[in-house]
Amino acid sequence: MKLGRDFFMQDTKKVAKQLLGKKLWHITQEGITAGIIVETEAYLGERDGAAHTHRGKSERTRVAYEDSGRAYIYLIYGMYCCFNITSGERDVPEMVLLRALEPCEGTEVMMLRRNTDRVVNLCSGPGKLCKALQITRDMYGHDLCESETFFITDDGFRPKGIAVSRRIGIDYAKEAREYPLRFFIKDNKYVSKVLKTK
DNA sequence: ACCGTGATGTTCT
DNA sequence: GAACATCACGGTG
């Protein structure tokens, strides 16, 4: 049911693909929120010009060098959080960015946090899903394999088709901008809008 | 529908 | 001081 260390220690691209269809949970005082993961991106460490760990270890990236299955959360553009899960071998600083969820549990709470009543817009982007599930920077380093409040489960859902594209928002990253490392569930309406295949 | 812009604070040079 | 793995909003067509 709950994903353990072995899952996240697999090859990062495999983790990114296999996370599609899994369910991310966050249990807080406000209530239980959860969603099916429908869009991910792989970031491949020092060999990947778009990865934060491309230039090695820093205060911000230190958790990427610990064991896998932990939360790498950072502030982007001064106002949004992005949530990654560390993956691959220990000391190999790779991770998977969660870009979109299909809301399942606690959509009322999500709508309050996001200030919208359109379910399709609740978690269709990396900043949006963090706001909807209240994923904040004080959860940096959180171990999703050991947690009772913030974790991922396999509920048996298997996507019918998986699509692949270049990653979003990394045009600055030379040749890495073209790497096919974004994965999403085909024809799923909760995927973030941009670069959706027609 | 697409496009341009402004909001905002941390990290890195 | 620049850059940034974003989002909402207001303009145009």
Side-chain angles (χ1 to χ4, degrees):
Chain A
M1 195 85 170
K2 192 184 290 184
L3 298 186
R5 194 81 59 210
D6 290 348
F7 179 90
F8 298 104
M9 288 187 69
Q10 300 178 93
D11 172 77
T12 294
K13 270 189 277 187
K14 188 173 177 186
V15 173
K17 276 183 265 192
Q18 295 204 356
L19 277 173
L20 298 175
K22 303 296 191 291
K23 196 165 175 179
L24 174 68
W25 299 77
H26 190 202
I27 297 166
T28 70
Q29 293 285 345
E30 278 186 313
I32 297 173
T33 47
I36 300 283
I37 298 167
V38 299
E39 178 181 351
T40 62
E41 284 177 356
Y43 284 86
L44 302 183
E46 301 182 1
R47 62 195 157 110
D48 178 1
H52 287 174
T53 47
H54 177 52
R55 295 183 200 288
K57 199 171 185 175
S58 69
E59 180 56 30
R60 180 169 69 156
T61 62
R62 65 181 167 74
V63 75
Y65 295 80
E66 298 178 22
D67 48 4
S68 295
R70 292 178 182 273
Y72 172 79
I73 300 165
Y74 68 96
L75 187 70
I76 183 69
Y77 298 110
M79 52 180 76
Y80 302 104
C81 285
C82 287
F83 167 49
N84 300 249
I85 305 169
T86 60
S87 58
E89 298 288 316
R90 191 185 170 87
D91 292 320
V92 177
E94 302 183 345
M95 57 182 77
V96 176
L97 170 68
L98 266 54
R99 285 196 56 90
L101 308 176
E102 176 173 336
C104 307
E105 318 282 339
T107 50
E108 294 294 326
V109 177
M110 294 188 200
M111 288 192 279
L112 286 172
R113 290 174 180 158
R114 290 271 300 118
N115 195 30
T116 177
D117 55 6
R118 297 184 57 239
V119 175
V120 76
N121 193 37
L122 282 179
C123 299
S124 52
K128 296 180 188 180
L129 74 88
C130 284
K131 187 95 184 285
L133 268 66
Q134 196 168 277
I135 299 169
T136 52
R137 275 181 302 159
D138 57 14
M139 293 154 69
Y140 180 93
H142 196 102
D143 185 355
L144 281 86
C145 301
E146 297 294 331
S147 178
E148 299 296 323
T149 57
F150 186 43
F151 53 86
I152 297 174
T153 60
D154 184 348
D155 291 32
F157 178 69
R158 296 293 177 266
K160 287 194 179 69
I162 294 177
V164 181
S165 80
R166 48 186 273 195
R167 294 170 290 181
I168 305 294
I170 54 153
D171 286 349
Y172 58 87
K174 297 189 182 140
E175 74 270 13
R177 59 182 271 166
E178 302 300 337
Y179 294 169
L181 294 176
R182 175 181 181 235
F183 307 98
F184 54 100
I185 298 181
K186 220 174 210 175
D187 302 324
N188 185 286
K189 64 177 179 179
Y190 299 94
V191 166
S192 70
K193 301 301 179 216
V194 277
L195 278 190
K196 197 192 288 189
T197 56
K198 48 174 185 330

